[in-house]
Amino acid sequence: MSDFIANFQETLAYVGVLMPSLLTGAWYTVKLFVVTLVLSLPLGLPFALGGNSRFWIFRFVCKTYIWIFRGTPLILQLFFFYFFIPISMGIRFSAFTTAAITFVLNYAAYFAEIYRGGINSIDHGQYEAAHSLGLSKSQTMFGIILPQTMKCVLPPVSNEAIVLIKDTALVSVMGVAELMKASTSAVNRDVNPSAYLVAAVIYLIFTFLLTLLSNFLERRFSMYDARGEW
Amino acid sequence: MKQILEMKQIVKDYANCRALDHVDFSMKRGETVAIIGPSGSGKSTLLRCINCLNRITSGSITLNGETFVDTPDGKAAQYIPDKELRRICAQTGMVFQHFNLFPHMTCLKNICYAPIKVKKEDKAAAEQRGRELLELVGLASKADVYTAQLSGGQKQRIAIARGLAMNPEIMLFDEPTSALDPEITGEVLNVIKKLADEHITMVVVTHEMGFAREVADRVIFMDQGKIVEEGAPEQIFTSPESDRLKDFLSSMLK
Ligand SMILES: Nc1ncnc2c1ncn2[C@@H]1O[C@H](COP(=O)(O)OP(=O)(O)O)[C@@H](O)[C@H]1O
Ligand SMILES: [Mg+2]
């Protein structure tokens, strides 16, 4: 028993030593997550609208974009941009910037499809009512359709956000010292898997916070529903 | 008196059927017209063409002196540019069978949204008018309620108020009570009657024969995309001429 306690204290002390590097890694993870979400959420919208456009050229461009980014592995896209940007444009961005660009483009494609599904699920009567009141196409889209779409895209969007926080681990292959990379380094250096456990706990905290946020938003957006008594 | 609406030789073809077959229809300001007829006879299509929800195949439509679609070559109808068209179509208000209220807005916002956005009315003035309209339809207490919490009859009355808020030249009603339980159609019909008494120009497609007889200045009977018979309610309901109208009326009595 005393052995176990001694062991436990030792482990705690070791985790304390690990924490600074893991937290630095977690900070990178959060940065990549936030940058990706903040940029890809709005970027998905023009691709969603373009995918529904009357003009075939818009539809073609948007659908091809979505097809390519959803149809190939994210890790392949990461490597591709890692080599492609410096070679084709002669600029070398940091690994973090390259990763962020790739993630934004990739997630925007997913969000575009989610938005498009949401837009298409709105009853056609809403368009007819808007038209009969003299609203223009853009007034209808931004004032009537999209606000209603918000509510039904929220669950799939928060689901994607949770996938994203875990996908950030992929950029460890590019040498960005995010949480996954930081814990792997520690495990390899000290031949002790505890760092993975700590990393798992940190990821779980992130996803838990995201779940809280999405539940809060879902409640906010459902305020105009008729609610039953139970 | 000058006609507020004039439709000439309207043809509307869908992919595999002719919904309107050379229909002539016009109305005077302040008139209430009821359209009756069997299902599939083109009643909705006629209303939707007035409101530009559907585009006609050929013919011409003049609303309040402005011709927004014409068929100069006798073949395909030509509409005026979209922006102009939208302005003219906003002069007709439509009330749908299934209400089509905006669920993400309160009742008051449903009513005020288009006047503020389309007519650029001042927000306070629009809301003032919105509250008057809520009063008119008997739902003053529902201003800040979301529409999902209303009964069907209440929803339809809000939809009527929403249409009126744009001060349309003509109000169009497409079977406004068909989606309602029979015992609550009265509350909606009473509101429409009130509008008729105020001489608001209206076209009402309805299966409520008693209502048509009571409020309409003129009744139109449609069948298979044509206006088969029209006249004063007394004449239509008590001495129908065509066999089709006789059949229709006796089928409605059953
Ligand atoms: N969007 C559409 N596409 C094809 N056919 C249609 C469409 N809307 C209506 N129709 C057809 O046009 C005819 C008239 O329909 P409608 O105007 O809805 O009749 P009513 O309102 O009198 O019941 C019907 O035969 C119907 O099947
Ligand atoms: Mg109909």
Side-chain angles (χ1 to χ4, degrees), chain A residues 173-191:
Chain A
V173 298
M174 297 162 69
V176 178
E178 45 65 72
L179 181 52
M180 187 65 206
K181 173 84 178 164
S183 45
T184 305
S185 304
V187 169
N188 288 343
R189 185 187 60 220
D190 303 337
V191 200

Side-chain angles (χ1 to χ4, degrees), chain A residues 125-126 128 131-132 143 148 224, chain B residues 48 51 101-104 113 146:
Chain A
Q126 295 288 308
E128 298 193 343
H131 173 97
S132 79
Q148 295 182 56
Y224 56 77
Chain B
R48 294 168 62 87
N51 197 221
L101 291 177
F102 304 134
H104 60 301
Y113 191 76
Y146 286 96

Side-chain angles (χ1 to χ4, degrees), chain B residues 41-68:
Chain B
S41 56
K43 308 180 297 295
S44 296
T45 304
L46 184 66
L47 286 201
R48 294 168 62 87
C49 289
I50 299 173
N51 197 221
C52 319
L53 280 167
N54 287 144
R55 294 193 169 214
I56 61 174
T57 308
S58 68
S60 75
I61 307 179
T62 306
L63 181 71
N64 203 13
E66 292 182 284
T67 301
F68 63 82

